């Protein structure tokens, strides 16, 4: 699937529903939907985004889905059955995350806390350290598990998988995402990237 620039621009400011179901154990929270994500209604769907490749490399999901064309109903079902979910700090789609205001990120953090209290995941992983620092007013936060909880859930800040984040590779993202997955019980505590063959 390919979109023209004009087609993608037509999705600016549109929203995407959360990919969450009762029983979610690990909630990944993106910054906001990209235009490609809004167009496909699939989180982290841009072809250059490394979220799904990192999840597959970590063994959090058993295989890489065709995410850039939009997840199929079967792929969504399997993702949710793993105890995984995806939400966003800010709901509106933009071409780049730096188009968002700090006020939007802070409002999004407050909305997220309400949702987490309702969904009750074991672990929440904010995907983007800068967004976490701004949204939660933690300017000196470092990546990894945070000292505070969020509405009773263990809180983590992990790297942004966008292709614009040149500091991380699929391998380093896989390592970063595996840690909250182990904390949530998605991966065994001793697991080091061994996919669950049962799915």
């Amino acid at each position: 699937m390919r979109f023209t620039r004009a087609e993608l621009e037509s999705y600016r400011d549109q929203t995407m529903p959360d990919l969450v179901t009762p029983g979610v154990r690990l909630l990944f929270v993106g910054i906001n939907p990209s235009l490609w994500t809004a167009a496909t209604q699939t989180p982290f769907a841009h072809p250059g985004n490394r979220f799904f490749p990192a999840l597959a490399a970590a063994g959090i999901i058993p295989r890489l889905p065709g995410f850039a064309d939009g997840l199929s109903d079967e792929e969504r079902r399997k993702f949710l059955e793993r105890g995984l979910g995806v939400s966003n700090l800010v709901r509106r789609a933009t071409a780049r995350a730096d188009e968002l205001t700090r006020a939007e990120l802070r409002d999004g953090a407050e909305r997220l806390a309400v949702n987490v209290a309702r969904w009750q995941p074991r672990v929440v992983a904010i995907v983007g350290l800068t967004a976490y620092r701004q949204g939660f007013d933690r300017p000196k936060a470092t990546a990894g598990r945070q000292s505070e909880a969020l509405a009773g859930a263990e809180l983590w800040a992990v790297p942004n998988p966008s292709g614009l984040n040149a500091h991380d590779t699929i391998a380093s993202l896989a390592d970063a995402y595996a840690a909250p997955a182990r904390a949530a019980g998605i991966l065994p505590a001793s697991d080091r990237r061994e996919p669950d063959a049962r799915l």
Side-chain angles (χ1 to χ4, degrees):
M1 185 179 296
R2 289 292 179 265
F3 299 100
T4 66
R5 185 182 299 267
E7 285 172 336
L8 286 175
E9 279 296 325
S10 73
Y11 290 95
R12 183 174 290 277
D13 295 327
Q14 291 196 19
T15 61
M16 193 186 79
D18 298 306
L19 183 59
V20 178
T21 195
V24 61
R25 290 184 284 166
L26 172 56
L27 180 68
F28 286 102
V29 181
I31 302 168
N32 74 307
S34 70
L35 301 181
W36 195 291
T37 283
T40 60
Q41 290 292 287
T42 293
F44 302 103
H46 189 279
N49 196 291
R50 297 161 301 170
F51 178 75
F52 286 105
L55 293 189
I60 296 169
I61 56 176
R63 64 189 62 84
L64 182 63
F67 62 94
D69 292 330
L71 295 179
S72 68
D73 290 344
E74 179 73 1
E75 288 168 337
R76 288 175 190 272
R77 181 184 64 78
K78 288 186 174 182
F79 185 86
L80 293 169
E81 285 180 349
R82 290 286 287 171
L84 302 169
V86 178
S87 185
N88 285 288
L89 281 175
V90 177
R91 298 180 64 86
R92 72 180 184 97
T94 61
R96 295 173 56 104
D98 60 11
E99 297 175 42
L100 303 174
T101 67
R102 185 167 296 187
E104 283 182 288
L105 291 168
R106 287 183 176 169
D107 289 346
E110 291 178 6
R111 180 179 56 81
L112 177 64
V114 172
N115 286 337
V116 168
R118 188 170 83 248
W119 296 331
Q120 298 186 327
R122 293 184 194 175
V123 175
V124 172
I126 308 296
V127 184
L129 181 58
T130 299
Y132 172 71
R133 287 171 173 167
Q134 294 181 353
F136 289 83
D137 197 22
R138 299 288 184 270
K140 296 183 179 180
T142 57
R145 183 178 176 180
Q146 304 302 302
S147 59
E148 62 185 351
L150 179 65
E154 193 172 298
L155 184 61
W156 289 66
V158 295
N160 187 333
S162 168
L164 299 175
N165 175 13
H167 300 293
D168 282 286
T169 64
I170 289 175
S172 67
L173 291 168
D175 285 341
Y177 298 169
R182 286 191 291 271
I186 301 293
L187 293 176
S190 60
D191 185 86
R192 297 294 176 187
R193 295 194 215 167
E194 293 183 7
D196 185 345
R198 294 172 298 175
L199 187 61

